[in-house]
Amino acid sequence: MKNLKLFSLAALAVVFLTSCSSVRVIADYDKEANFKTYKTYAFYKTGIDKAQISDLDKKRILKAIDAEMSSRGFVKSEQPDVLVSIFTKERERVDVYNNNFGWGWGWGGFYNPWLWGPGWGGGWGGNNVSTRTEGSLYIDLIDTQNRELVWQGRGVGTLNNIKNIEKKEERIREFVSQILQEYPPAITVAAN
């Protein structure tokens, strides 16, 4: 039984650690857009100004987007093909883990209407509750000629209050990189 408890705790730790570090990504796009024609970009200041995060984090996100776009062959331009905008959302996530079980000595025991006192009882117990901030970063690409959204990527993951600036920047780069891995979309052409 001790090994089962240790296994349960180890499995819980692995699940918790992987859920904290991963970024879940969802992307959507306009299937009529010609993504091959997009070669240049600029940031959409009006949209970025509305993002409800600190100016320092905005700078970090934009710097990470610059690096990703450059690595994909995009060039920043005054006359861009696409505008890049961002926005964010966050929410508190509450996780409840029920990871202890077994038999023990305690008050009450099994229900007996004529007897109340010490007894043996068993079952599940030991709930652990944790809260964490889960955030979403949206990256939008807007076609400048049509003024329409053509691609949107969203990354959802845990945002820890990271005091170490290097780790915070690394986490932001991870978010941006994983979101932009979905761009350009893998468009499949249906056979006629």
Side-chain angles (χ1 to χ4, degrees):
M1 186 176 301
K2 188 176 185 178
N3 287 341
L4 184 58
K5 259 187 179 178
L6 288 175
F7 175 76
S8 296
L9 290 173
L12 179 64
V14 167
V15 168
F16 181 73
L17 289 174
T18 57
S19 70
C20 287
S21 64
S22 67
V23 178
R24 295 177 311 279
V25 176
I26 299 170
D28 195 7
Y29 63 93
D30 179 350
K31 66 180 183 179
E32 312 240 335
N34 186 355
F35 293 97
K36 293 178 182 179
T37 63
Y38 302 139
K39 305 288 183 207
T40 60
Y41 75 100
F43 289 114
Y44 182 54
K45 184 175 177 359
T46 305
I48 292 168
D49 287 344
K50 292 178 184 177
Q52 296 181 0
I53 54 174
S54 76
D55 287 344
L56 291 172
D57 283 341
K58 284 179 192 177
K59 280 180 160 178
R60 292 177 180 112
I61 291 169
L62 298 180
K63 184 177 177 182
I65 291 172
D66 264 336
E68 282 294 320
M69 295 296 273
S70 293
S71 74
R72 296 167 186 280
F74 278 81
V75 177
K76 210 170 189 180
S77 171
E78 295 292 322
Q79 300 294 319
D81 299 322
V82 291
L83 292 173
V84 178
S85 187
I86 64 167
F87 69 96
T88 60
K89 289 183 182 180
E90 73 176 36
R91 69 181 178 119
E92 284 297 312
R93 181 172 173 157
V94 178
D95 296 315
V96 179
Y97 302 101
N98 187 353
N99 59 1
N100 292 328
F101 64 92
W103 296 90
W105 176 261
W107 289 93
F110 294 107
Y111 178 71
N112 183 335
W114 298 281
L115 175 65
W116 181 253
W120 287 96
W124 296 91
N127 290 334
N128 292 325
V129 178
S130 68
T131 60
R132 56 193 161 115
T133 302
E134 185 173 77
S136 297
L137 171 62
Y138 292 79
I139 300 176
D140 292 343
L141 297 182
I142 302 160
D143 184 301
T144 55
Q145 289 204 348
N146 302 336
R147 301 249 181 235
E148 292 180 354
L149 180 67
V150 291
W151 185 87
Q152 182 178 70
R154 179 182 78 167
V156 179
T158 302
L159 299 176
N160 299 323
N161 291 329
I162 302 171
K163 292 181 181 180
N164 181 313
I165 298 302
E166 286 79 22
K167 286 184 180 182
K168 186 177 205 177
E169 288 175 349
E170 180 181 325
R171 183 68 174 149
I172 287 171
R173 284 190 304 270
E174 177 185 7
F175 255 79
V176 169
S177 174
Q178 289 191 23
I179 293 168
L180 288 176
Q181 280 180 5
E182 298 296 317
Y183 184 85
I187 301 172
T188 58
V189 178
N192 290 334

